[in-house]
């Protein structure tokens, strides 16, 4: 599967570096060529000799090495590869990547490369959860860097928490799918979750969307090899592995993140975007006090939010080849979805029944109809069986691969 794939593997300084030796072995067994870069910190945990022996390649570490630069400079290292993998990726290297800092060979190559980058973060859970790391991660995702992990489990310090590097087998699976699945080479944009529209600093308008269906679709597309940007409103769902996830709050932020993610081959708008937002988000908490009549909820003025699906469908120069929307209805599901196809200008609508008795909102299952513009002699309506949201996502990803394969 990985035959002749050229991987530039950057090993930065964390205890998980020992697992990168196994990753090298797995990559080579799969047929890949591995060119290793070991940072100064990485060399504290694994020796250049063990890395070189397993990779059957010279280990690069020094930006200013005369011999290295004359034989193969940092620009060639950055270009002569199909994929850059950073494993383990410490908080420090993620921070540098997010800010364009290039102060050693590894970070200079990361700045200079135009190849896909996959990072496998590994660190103590407090460092992972720290606001600065999460900010850097959001930036990296917005820049299109893919990540896998970290996982929850026992950490080096004897604590239990999130921060363990993803296992080499999981990293290998993400790499394989990215390169050989039926959606490899395809850029997919997925929206998911609700949006939160602030009323004041403590209150907001939202809806019951859990993000389960959208996240499952992002994961399913990534498993088939797509480079996926998931733009997610507030959701309890974990970021899917191998997906660049951008976290947003409001519809307007979601639209901006979607436009930033263009160009894309396919856009799937699964988010339950709030149709309205308060005309102004008050800076101070609105008091219950009736005397201040202007601040009572009866006064809450709403304005319409931008329609992300319609906006993407109407793009002139960078409209995705396939734009897919959802129609969550409680009655006349198919009829409403058919008219929505026209009003939104998208190519397909997945119509689902969200009446309370179906348990779709927040649940794990979904019943959908796929509505497309009817071809001659066809109705354009396909009924899919009641299935888990994961199965619906997998089926949709296969259908997308098929459709894009037919219309290059
Ligand atoms: O109009 P309605 O909300 O029923 O349409 C649902 C579809 O439109 C979903 O695909 C949803 O993600 C998308 N949508 C959007 N932006 C909005 C409202 C809905 O992208 N502001």
């Amino acid at each position: 599967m990985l035959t002749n794939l050229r991987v530039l593997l950057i090993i930065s300084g964390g205890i998980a570096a020992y697992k990168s030796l196994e990753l090298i072995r797995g990559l080579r067994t799969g047929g890949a060529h591995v060119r290793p870069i070991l940072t100064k910190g990485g060399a504290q945990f694994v020796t250049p000799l063990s890395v070189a022996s397993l990779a059957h390649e010279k280990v690069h570490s020094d930006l200013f090495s005369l011999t290295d630069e004359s034989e193969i400079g940092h620009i060639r290292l950055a270009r002569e590869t199909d994929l850059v993998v950073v494993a383990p990726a410490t908080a420090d290297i993620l921070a540098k990547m997010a800010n364009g800092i290039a102060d050693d060979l590894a970070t200079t190559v990361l700045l200079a490369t135009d190849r896909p980058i996959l990072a496998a973060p590994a660190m103590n859970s407090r460092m992972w959860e720290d606001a600065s790391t999460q900010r850097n991660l959001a930036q990296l995702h917005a820049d299109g860097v893919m990540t896998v992990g970290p996982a929850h489990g026992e950490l080096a310090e004897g604590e239990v928490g999130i921060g363990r590097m993803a296992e080499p087998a999981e990293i290998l699976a993400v790499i394989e799918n990215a390169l050989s699945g039926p959606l490899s080479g395809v850029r997919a944009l997925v929206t998911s979750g609700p949006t939160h529209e602030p009323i004041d600093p403590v209150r907001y308008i939202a809806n019951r969307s859990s993000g389960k269906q959208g996240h499952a679709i992002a994961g399913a597309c990534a498993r088939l090899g797509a480079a996926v940007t998931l733009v997610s409103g507030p959701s309890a769902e974990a970021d899917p592995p191998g997906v660049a996830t951008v976290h947003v709050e409001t519809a307007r932020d979601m639209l901006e993140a979607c436009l930033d993610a263009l160009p894309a081959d396919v856009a799937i708008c699964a988010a339950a975007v709030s149709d309205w937002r308060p005309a102004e988000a008050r800076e101070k908490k609105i008091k219950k006090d009736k005397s201040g009549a202007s601040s009572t909820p009866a006064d809450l003025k709403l304005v319409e939010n931008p329609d992300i699906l319609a906006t993407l469908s109407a793009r002139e120069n960078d409209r995705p080849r396939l734009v897919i929307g959802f129609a969550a209805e409680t009655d006349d599901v198919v009829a409403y979805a058919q008219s929505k196809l026209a009003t939104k200008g998208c190519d397909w609508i997945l119509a689902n029944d969200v009446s309370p008795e179906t348990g779709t909102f927040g649940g794990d299952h979904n019943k959908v109809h796929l509505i497309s513009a009817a071809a001659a002699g066809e109705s354009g309506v396909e009924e899919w069986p009641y299935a888990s949201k994961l199965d619906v996502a997998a089926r949709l990803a296969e259908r997308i691969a098929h459709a894009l394969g037919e219309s290059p």
Side-chain angles (χ1 to χ4, degrees), residues 191 269-271 273-275 305-309 325-327 329 340 344:
T191 69
C269 294
V273 183
S274 174
D275 292 317
N305 262 331
D307 191 307
I308 298 164
L309 176 61
F326 272 74
E329 305 289 351
K340 200 161 284 180
K344 301 272 185 172

Side-chain angles (χ1 to χ4, degrees), residues 374-399:
E378 288 175 22
S379 77
V381 179
E382 228 179 77
E383 185 175 354
W384 288 8
Y386 182 74
S388 73
K389 289 183 176 173
L390 291 172
D391 286 347
V392 169
R395 186 165 177 163
L396 180 63
E398 295 282 354
R399 285 298 302 263

Side-chain angles (χ1 to χ4, degrees), residues 8-12 84-90 93 97 110 117-121:
L8 186 72
L9 175 66
I10 295 174
I11 304 175
S12 69
V84 182
V85 177
V86 190
T90 59
I93 203 162
M97 288 163 72
L110 282 163
I117 301 173
L118 172 68

